[in-house]
């Protein structure tokens, strides 16, 4: 049903957030073109400790309205929105911290002074559209849940790009992306690539960002108006005029971004490569395989008057804690919801009712049964959910259950995925490191953007928030996103393959693993030397800290099948073709980056919102929309 609803949405979610980070690419907008193409729906810190679960040993057969499996940003948004809709909601998380790929963690150096720890963001750290009300789906969840004021945002105007095709001494080896309409980026582009590159970029930008153009059309329909059933015909009714305004541009926005470049005559090789870079940062794919809408909206997000980027004081933990507060807030219609950590789901409760499969809750590893009166929302990626469903079949004679689980497994097997990550987390002395930019991208523009280890993304959040490290230190996170080949690491797993059910400590950490880890981390060190030439010497000083993460680390802590970034276009497809929240099992919904709209914080926030909306009446959803419009939080 979800794709049917999405057929009405011209560029639903090209939300105003650029995430050049772990969850960086954000989401797949939908256009009127979907009215003629309906894809299958067969499947679907600073860490002040978030409230740890009380002992559940005595809890058997608990009753909730909603149980959400997984506290990634998608799951937390679904939880906060369900609670806001007046549903008694429990979010269960296998890890000991919330946030999924966006969680924060602490480390202390050996022999440290016992003062502040180093606080690292595990993933996303470059956002926009968060510091003020607007069209960003994640910001809209914070506004709807009444917790937007909980976060203090630092705003800034750009990041550095380093081209390793040139030696550091060459002026063409680096340039700066500056947000806003001052033409600073165009001047930087001219210095980097020449006058013709600047002229072609300006002409292309003007065409894309003209009134009524593709960029404007990419942000007209909010996810708060969406749901996965026919009720969307009512919740979307007030947006009919915007559907008509988008018109035939919808077919362009749902296609690859290269079609836009070709249509508007963008031929300059460097500028086209620039959009490959931007697309890869958004989706883990080049411009030929990234849907046009998110890239189109990113152009507005970067180049409109007054455009800024946002970073949350306290790190991404601040954002996670705000969403948890939205879940646990006392509300008039229902008591507070709950986040329960260290609570791994062993199986769904699947039953056959009137010859149809139905999910009525989940069972935790300790035997606790969590009944869900309204439904279960699964934030696990499709590949993980398929394995969990297979483990949930307890009666082989329930043929409709077995058939539905097989449908999900089939879709999981046919869904392609991007590559994985290498991570380097550093705590280093900050003496002499003045005037650093917080964010950097390091790559060779002469190579394929998607080549293994070509693009390294760097974040130094202590540029904005010194409390994230001991006094006199910086924290640094460098990573290769979506370009690591998991097969290089798979031999370290039991059975030498990923069975879809990640365990806490199920891979071998022998000398060969350590040697491979050091070898693969070399690209990260070399990239950082472009920014801080003496980075290795600083990392060896007393009080410094070095943490190297591999695709297996990413898989373990973030529960990512094969350590993947997320979905890629299926064979024969140019762009994503993702299912909505509905699965073939009644009472089981899905959210997260393997459902519409796709990868990234805004995308998963939207998916969580849509799943939550589907579980309440149309009147409840429309009342919330009305309140948000009156407050200015919804267009």
């Amino acid at each position: 049903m979800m794709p049917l609803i999405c057929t009405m949405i011209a560029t639903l979610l090209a939300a105003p957030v650029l995430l050049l980070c772990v969850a960086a690419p954000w989401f797949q907008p939908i256009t009127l073109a979907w009215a003629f193409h309906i894809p299958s729906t067969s499947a679907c810190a600073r860490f002040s400790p978030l409230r740890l679960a009380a002992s559940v040993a005595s809890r058997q057969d608990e009753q909730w309205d909603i149980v959400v499996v997984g506290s990634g940003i998608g799951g937390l948004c679904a939880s906060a929105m369900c609670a806001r809709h007046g549903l008694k909601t429990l979010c269960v998380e296998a890890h000991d911290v919330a946030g999924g790929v966006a969680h924060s963690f602490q480390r202390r150096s050996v022999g440290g002074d016992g003062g502040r720890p180093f606080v690292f963001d595990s993933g996303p750290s470059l956002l926009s559209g968060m510091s003020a009300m607007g069209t960003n789906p994640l910001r809209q969840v914070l506004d709807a849940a009444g917790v937007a004021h909980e976060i203090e945002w630092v705003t800034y105007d750009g990041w550095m790009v380093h081209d390793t095709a040139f030696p550091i001494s060459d002026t063409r080896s680096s340039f700066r992306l500056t947000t806003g309409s001052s033409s600073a980026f165009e001047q930087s582009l001219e210095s980097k690539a020449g006058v013709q590159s600047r002229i072609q970029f300006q002409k292309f930008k003007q065409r894309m960002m003209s009134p009524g153009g593709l960029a404007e059309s990419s942000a007209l329909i909010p996810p708060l108006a969406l749901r996965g059933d026919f009720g969307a015909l009512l919740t979307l009714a007030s947006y009919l005029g915007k559907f008509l305004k988008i018109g035939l541009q919808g077919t362009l926005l749902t296609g690859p971004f290269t079609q836009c470049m070709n249509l508007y005559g963008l031929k300059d090789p460097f500028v086209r490569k620039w959009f490959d870079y931007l697309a890869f940062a958004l989706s883990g794919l080049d411009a030929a395989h990234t849907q046009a809408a998110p890239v189109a909206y990113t152009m507005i997000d970067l180049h409109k008057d007054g455009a800024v980027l946002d970073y949350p004081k306290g790190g991404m933990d601040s954002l996670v804690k705000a969403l948890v507060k939205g879940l646990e807030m006392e509300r008039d219609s229902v008591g507070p919801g709950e986040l329960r950590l260290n609570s791994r789901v062993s199986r769904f409760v699947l039953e056959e009712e009137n010859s149809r499969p139905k999910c009525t809750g989940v069972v935790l590893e300790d035997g606790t049964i969590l009944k869900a009166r309204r439904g279960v929302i699964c934030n696990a990626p499709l590949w993980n959910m398929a394995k969990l469903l297979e483990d949930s079949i307890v009666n082989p004679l329930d043929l409709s259950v077995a058939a539905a689980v097989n449908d999900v497994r089939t879709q999981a097997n046919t869904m392609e995925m991007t590559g994985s990550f290498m991570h380097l987390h550093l705590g280093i002395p900050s003496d002499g490191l003045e005037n650093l930019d917080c964010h950097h991208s390091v790559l060779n523009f002469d190579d394929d953007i998607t080549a293994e280890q070509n693009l390294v993304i760097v974040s130094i959040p202590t540029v904005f928030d010194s409390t994230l490290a001991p006094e006199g230190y910086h924290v640094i996170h460098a990573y290769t996103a979506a370009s690591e080949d998991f097969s290089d690491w798979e031999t370290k797993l039991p059975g030498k393959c990923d069975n879809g059910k990640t365990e806490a400590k199920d891979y071998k950490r022998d000398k060969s693993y350590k040697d491979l880890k050091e070898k693969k981390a070399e690209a990260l060190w070399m990239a950082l030397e472009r920014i801080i030439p003496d980075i290795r010497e600083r990392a060896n000083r007393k009080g410094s800290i070095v943490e190297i993460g591999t695709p297996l680390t990413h898989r373990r802590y973030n529960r990512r099948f094969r350590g993947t970034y997320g979905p890629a276009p299926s064979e024969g497809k140019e762009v994503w073709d993702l299912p909505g929240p509905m699965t073939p099992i009644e009472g089981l919904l899905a959210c997260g980056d393997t459902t519409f709209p796709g990868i990234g914080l805004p995308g998963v926030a939207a998916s969580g919102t849509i799943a939550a909306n589907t579980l309440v009446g149309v009147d409840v959803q429309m009342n919330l929309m009305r309140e948000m419009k009156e407050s200015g939080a919804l267009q």
Side-chain angles (χ1 to χ4, degrees):
M1 176 58 207
M2 184 60 200
L4 176 59
I5 300 308
C6 293
T7 66
M8 304 176 58
I9 304 170
T11 353
L12 162 67
L13 292 171
V17 175
L18 171 64
L19 298 172
L20 300 175
C21 48
V22 169
W26 20 280
F27 49 73
Q28 170 189 13
I30 297 183
T31 75
L32 283 175
W34 284 46
F36 308 102
H37 169 64
I38 302 177
S40 168
T41 55
S42 61
C44 59
R46 166 171 318 125
F47 242 87
S48 303
L50 298 170
R51 180 156 51 137
L52 287 172
S55 172
V56 295
S58 62
R59 298 179 182 176
Q60 300 292 324
D61 202 359
E62 300 178 24
Q63 297 290 333
W64 297 84
D65 290 329
I66 304 295
V67 175
V68 178
V69 179
S71 70
I73 297 299
L76 288 178
C77 286
S79 300
M81 289 300 297
C82 284
R84 177 63 177 83
H85 284 318
L87 302 174
K88 191 168 181 59
T89 304
L90 171 66
C91 180
V92 291
E93 168 59 49
H95 201 359
D96 57 5
V97 295
V101 175
H103 77 270
S104 299
F105 65 93
Q106 294 183 2
R107 291 291 185 272
R108 294 182 183 273
S109 61
V110 176
D113 61 6
R116 291 196 304 255
F118 293 97
V119 180
F120 296 103
D121 294 330
S122 68
S125 57
L126 198 162
L127 309 90
S128 66
M130 295 297 297
S131 54
M133 291 180 180
T135 56
N136 185 312
L138 182 52
R139 170 63 197 227
Q140 289 181 349
V141 170
L142 294 172
D143 286 324
V147 293
H149 64 282
E150 297 287 333
I151 305 171
E152 181 182 353
W153 295 96
V154 177
T155 61
Y156 60 107
D157 70 349
W159 70 88
M160 290 296 299
V161 182
H162 307 264
D163 187 354
T164 61
F166 298 91
I168 296 178
S169 58
D170 195 310
T171 58
R172 293 169 294 177
S173 68
S174 64
F175 61 104
R176 191 172 193 273
L177 181 286
T178 303
T179 60
S181 58
S182 68
S183 77
F185 175 59
E186 284 87 339
Q187 294 170 19
S188 184
L189 185 61
E190 180 175 337
S191 297
K192 163 64 181 170
V195 174
Q196 286 304 312
S197 293
R198 174 184 60 79
I199 291 173
Q200 286 209 29
F201 175 82
Q202 285 179 320
K203 288 182 178 179
F204 182 70
K205 183 183 75 171
Q206 288 169 359
R207 292 289 300 274
M208 291 292 293
M209 295 177 59
S210 61
L214 285 172
E216 180 182 286
S217 296
S218 68
L220 292 179
I221 311 300
L224 280 162
L226 297 177
R227 52 189 295 123
D229 58 24
F230 284 104
L233 297 173
L234 297 174
T235 58
L236 288 168
S238 62
Y239 293 93
L240 178 59
K242 292 183 177 181
F243 291 137
L244 297 176
K245 184 175 181 180
I246 293 168
L248 294 179
Q249 290 185 128
T251 57
L252 273 176
L253 288 166
T254 50
F257 189 71
T258 46
Q259 290 183 356
C260 298
M261 293 193 286
N262 296 338
L263 177 66
Y264 293 151
L266 179 59
K267 298 179 180 179
D268 183 82
F270 183 80
V271 179
R272 290 181 72 96
K273 186 62 71 76
W274 169 258
F275 282 110
D276 271 333
Y277 153 75
L278 198 61
F280 189 76
L282 294 170
S283 70
L285 304 161
D286 60 17
H289 298 92
T290 299
Q291 203 172 49
V295 186
Y297 193 87
T298 296
M299 294 183 68
I300 282 187
D301 214 31
L302 294 177
H303 303 298
K304 67 183 178 183
D305 289 342
V308 295
L309 303 173
D310 304 308
Y311 185 77
K313 292 290 289 291
M316 291 299 291
D317 179 36
S318 298
L319 175 60
V320 171
K321 287 194 291 188
L323 290 169
V324 172
K325 184 170 183 177
L327 163 63
E328 297 183 335
M329 189 180 298
E330 185 77 46
R331 301 186 187 277
D332 294 338
S333 57
V334 66
E338 180 182 342
L339 168 67
R340 192 174 296 178
L341 303 175
N342 298 301
S343 299
R344 184 179 179 128
V345 172
S346 64
R347 65 180 178 88
F348 297 106
V349 179
L350 302 181
E351 303 171 354
E352 192 169 75
E353 185 176 284
N354 298 323
S355 299
R356 294 177 59 83
K358 185 175 183 178
C359 178
T360 60
V362 303
V363 180
L364 301 182
E365 280 191 335
D366 67 358
T368 301
I369 300 171
L370 304 173
K371 289 289 188 177
R373 289 181 287 261
R374 292 287 191 97
V376 173
I377 299 175
C378 183
N379 185 214
L382 178 62
W383 308 287
N384 303 63
M385 185 172 74
K387 174 59 177 173
L388 189 56
L389 282 169
E390 289 169 341
D391 292 344
S392 303
I393 298 177
V394 295
N395 184 0
L397 297 180
D398 288 343
L399 299 182
S400 67
V401 171
V405 171
N406 185 63
D407 283 347
V408 177
R409 167 51 65 190
T410 299
Q411 187 168 15
N413 288 346
T414 57
M415 180 178 282
E416 300 293 330
M417 64 183 72
T418 62
S420 189
F421 294 78
M422 285 293 298
H423 295 273
L424 181 58
H425 292 281
L426 302 177
I428 62 167
S430 59
D431 56 289
L433 298 179
E434 291 81 24
N435 302 316
L436 282 175
D437 274 84
C438 175
H439 294 287
H440 302 256
S441 292
V442 184
L443 69 158
N444 187 328
F445 275 97
D446 287 348
D447 287 346
D448 185 341
I449 296 295
T450 65
E452 185 171 2
Q453 295 199 322
N454 185 22
L455 175 60
V456 175
I457 295 171
V458 178
S459 174
I460 315 174
T462 37
V463 168
F464 298 137
D465 187 355
S466 62
T467 67
L468 296 172
E471 185 175 357
Y473 286 83
H474 274 313
V475 294
I476 297 175
H477 179 203
Y479 58 90
T480 55
S483 66
E484 294 295 327
D485 188 349
F486 190 75
S487 62
D488 293 340
W489 304 88
E490 202 157 22
T491 57
K492 309 301 178 184
L493 291 172
K496 299 183 179 181
C497 68
D498 191 337
N499 67 3
K501 189 172 183 178
T502 56
E503 302 295 340
K505 298 179 180 179
D506 63 348
Y507 58 93
K508 300 175 184 177
R509 297 165 182 77
D510 56 14
K511 185 178 184 301
S512 65
Y513 172 76
K514 295 176 182 177
D515 290 345
L516 182 58
K517 181 166 71 170
E518 294 291 338
K519 177 183 177 182
K520 289 282 192 174
E522 182 62 20
L524 300 173
W525 286 108
M526 292 176 65
L528 284 170
E529 285 175 329
R530 285 269 169 165
I531 304 163
I532 304 173
D534 63 345
I535 187 73
R536 297 185 201 239
E537 183 273 325
R538 289 175 182 269
N540 284 322
R541 291 187 201 173
K542 181 180 179 181
S544 294
I545 190 167
V546 177
E547 293 276 356
I548 300 174
T550 72
L552 292 177
T553 316
H554 190 74
R555 171 186 177 272
R556 171 188 172 187
Y557 286 103
N558 297 322
R559 308 282 173 173
R560 303 294 298 184
F561 180 65
R562 294 179 63 82
T564 184
Y565 202 162
S570 301
E571 186 175 354
K573 300 282 186 179
E574 291 181 303
V575 295
W576 288 327
D577 188 8
L578 300 176
M582 308 298 283
T583 75
I585 300 171
E586 182 183 348
L588 177 62
L589 283 73
C591 69
D593 61 11
T594 52
T595 62
F596 169 80
I599 292 176
L601 294 186
V604 297
S607 73
T609 300
I610 297 166
N613 289 344
T614 306
L615 290 170
V616 297
V618 169
D619 58 331
V620 175
Q621 181 181 351
M622 293 185 71
N623 284 339
L624 176 58
M625 292 169 60
R626 189 176 304 111
E627 289 178 27
M628 292 190 66
K629 287 179 180 180
E630 290 172 354
S631 70
L634 185 63
Q635 61 185 0

